[in-house]
Amino acid sequence: MGAGADILHVDLDAFYASVEQLLDPSLRGRPVAVGGGVVLAASYEAKAFGVQSGMAGGRALRLCPDLVFVSGSFDRYVELSDAVFAICEDTTPHVERISIDEAFLDVSGSRHLFGPPGTIAALIRRRVREEVGLPISAGVARTKFLAKVASQVAKPDGLVVVDPDDELAFLHPLRVELMWGVGPVTSGALRSLGVETIGDLARLPSSALRSRVGGGAGRHLLALAWNRDPRAVRPVGRAGSVGAQSALGRSGSDPRVRAEALLHLADRIGSRMRKKHRSGRTVTVRVRFDDMASVTRSRTLPHPIDATAAIHAVASELVDAALTAAGEREVTLVGISLSNLHTDAAVQLELPLGDGTVVRPGSDSGERRRKLDDQLDDVRRRFGKDAVGAAGVVLSKRRSVPDAFREIVEKKT
């Protein structure tokens, strides 16, 4: 192998469904979906029937009548993810976790301890299988982009090493959908130009590409098509935001369902912020529609907040504004994130002369809500995070999806 192919991308295969099959041996070899009204994750056995993440549960059952739905073991997902990446960190301190089930590693400094990168990847895969019990695929290459593509080619439960001398010979025959940034819309635009493979894209005149996908996106895609990716592996420290999102399926146009989801998400974010003694000034919401298009809205507050009610109030206003601007469209996902973070921010109490909104932490209402949140957090520490919550969410037959499907780095805030 040529010098410099020191980047690994490791990706746990069908992670959520694989965990469920690990925890319940009776599910092994059977088509499994995590979720209910919406498929949040599917096992490879289910994917063979065309079942995909984001698909309505009813459609999934029509495609695969033997499909087994499970509600999800969210705490175990985090626990097992941490166990896997602890194994990665045994081989190199340069681990960039980009989600709960995948990470980049730079193993250039580990060659003298464990051997060449391909050997290191094989070691990690073997230890994950033996010590955790989960399948994991790995790609080894000179750039982050190509390492990720290689791990996708390696699936399921495989290893692909790309020699720097053979990069374009490996990359160019692959289908263009394997590239970062090529979703259904971009893929359709590229196919209208006759682009089927990454090699087709690489040979496309830049002017034709820009006319279909825009200047910035066109330059980015062309660079990747020639494996030009200068990004280094950067171990993730303190996250710059905390977020959660919920897939709503066909119920997303019901205002009550959206309200329950937003309250649940605000509660999850707020409790995580308070646990780490942090607060944030900028609230951002994301709304996705049934055509996969999405909009975001943000509001930056004068003071940082961590109260569930405050996060919920601002997020609700932003979602309402986004829906007013979008018109009558079916909503399939809502998300909230809190950024512009502060640590142990002091709260300046206010005289009772204003409107008393919970969005102002120093107001009388804001102070009362903060004390209530502290009491709820104490109950959860003692009896578990699901021991108490907002009545509208706890009593609802439809529980919104917890934030376990957010990037694992968010739990490091």
Side-chain angles (χ1 to χ4, degrees):
M1 178 185 298
D6 293 315
I7 296 179
L8 276 60
H9 180 263
V10 293
D11 194 349
L12 288 154
D13 296 320
F15 176 56
Y16 307 110
S18 294
V19 170
E20 299 301 332
Q21 291 173 323
L22 174 67
L23 299 177
D24 183 354
S26 70
L27 297 176
R28 295 175 188 172
R30 301 174 64 187
V32 175
V34 179
V38 175
V39 175
L40 303 175
S43 68
Y44 278 101
E45 295 87 352
K47 290 179 180 179
F49 287 87
V51 178
Q52 299 177 355
S53 299
M55 181 177 288
R59 183 185 176 196
L61 283 170
R62 288 192 294 272
L63 291 172
C64 181
D66 295 328
L67 186 65
V68 180
F69 274 97
V70 294
S71 59
S73 308
F74 300 110
D75 290 340
R76 297 303 303 276
Y77 297 157
V78 174
E79 174 189 335
L80 292 171
S81 171
D82 286 344
V84 168
F85 293 117
I87 292 172
C88 294
E89 289 163 358
D90 281 347
T91 63
T92 175
H94 301 289
V95 178
E96 181 181 345
R97 298 169 71 169
I98 59 175
S99 74
I100 195 172
D101 57 356
E102 60 180 319
F104 288 105
L105 290 70
D106 183 337
V107 298
S108 56
S110 303
R111 285 175 174 254
H112 65 291
L113 293 174
F114 302 106
T119 300
I120 295 173
L123 171 64
I124 291 171
R125 293 186 63 247
R126 183 171 68 251
R127 285 192 59 190
V128 170
R129 174 64 81 174
E130 293 175 354
E131 298 174 26
V132 184
L134 292 172
I136 187 169
S137 295
V140 182
R142 185 177 54 84
T143 66
K144 292 174 78 171
F145 164 67
L146 195 55
K148 182 173 175 66
V149 170
S151 73
Q152 292 176 275
V153 174
K155 286 182 172 293
D157 197 19
L159 167 63
V160 169
V161 179
V162 183
D163 191 294
D165 295 331
D166 301 322
E167 289 175 345
L168 297 183
F170 168 79
L171 181 63
H172 280 181
L174 300 175
R175 67 183 191 278
V176 74
E177 288 82 5
L178 285 174
M179 298 182 68
W180 268 330
V182 179
V185 174
T186 303
S187 174
L190 292 175
R191 290 189 182 280
S192 70
L193 295 170
V195 173
E196 300 284 340
T197 68
I198 298 175
D200 294 337
L201 175 60
R203 292 183 289 271
L204 194 68
S206 59
S207 57
L209 184 59
R210 289 196 304 270
S211 69
R212 292 301 177 94
V213 302
R219 286 189 296 271
H220 174 69
L221 290 176
L222 275 178
L224 294 182
W226 289 103
N227 195 32
R228 294 193 290 265
D229 181 10
R231 295 170 304 155
V233 174
R234 300 187 182 279
V236 177
R238 187 177 288 269
S241 65
V242 175
Q245 63 184 22
S246 176
L248 304 178
R250 295 185 176 181
S251 303
S253 295
D254 185 336
R256 183 173 58 182
V257 170
R258 286 200 305 272
E260 290 173 357
L262 288 172
L263 181 56
H264 178 66
L265 297 176
D267 188 32
R268 302 294 292 182
I269 294 170
S271 64
R272 288 166 59 194
M273 296 291 286
R274 296 187 295 272
K275 182 178 180 180
K276 297 297 183 180
H277 306 288
R278 307 197 79 192
S279 54
R281 289 182 55 210
T282 302
V283 180
T284 301
V285 300
R286 177 177 176 238
V287 181
R288 192 180 72 194
F289 303 101
D290 57 350
D291 60 357
M292 300 303 291
S294 62
V295 296
T296 59
R297 293 288 187 275
S298 297
R299 177 182 171 190
T300 297
L301 305 169
H303 305 288
I305 59 174
D306 62 7
T308 294
I311 298 169
H312 178 252
V314 178
S316 296
E317 291 179 4
L318 291 171
V319 168
D320 288 345
L323 294 179
T324 299
E328 295 294 328
R329 301 174 70 181
E330 185 173 341
V331 177
T332 59
L333 178 145
V334 291
I336 307 173
S337 66
L338 196 60
S339 58
N340 200 350
L341 302 184
H342 299 254
T343 301
D344 289 324
V347 175
Q348 178 65 51
L349 298 181
E350 302 176 10
L351 292 173
L353 301 176
D355 57 12
T357 173
V358 293
V359 174
R360 288 166 32 212
S363 69
D364 183 60
S365 178
E367 176 68 9
R368 288 200 306 270
R369 180 60 207 216
R370 187 164 64 89
K371 291 179 179 178
L372 175 59
D373 281 336
D374 289 342
Q375 294 172 343
L376 295 177
D377 292 340
D378 183 59
V379 171
R380 287 167 171 159
R381 280 192 294 270
R382 296 172 61 190
F383 302 106
K385 64 181 181 180
D386 294 324
V388 65
V393 176
V394 172
L395 299 178
S396 173
K397 292 182 180 179
R398 182 197 178 281
R399 297 292 301 274
S400 58
V401 179
D403 57 352
F405 289 87
R406 294 293 295 170
E407 293 184 348
I408 193 69
V409 296
E410 292 178 350
K411 70 186 283 287
K412 294 179 175 290
T413 58

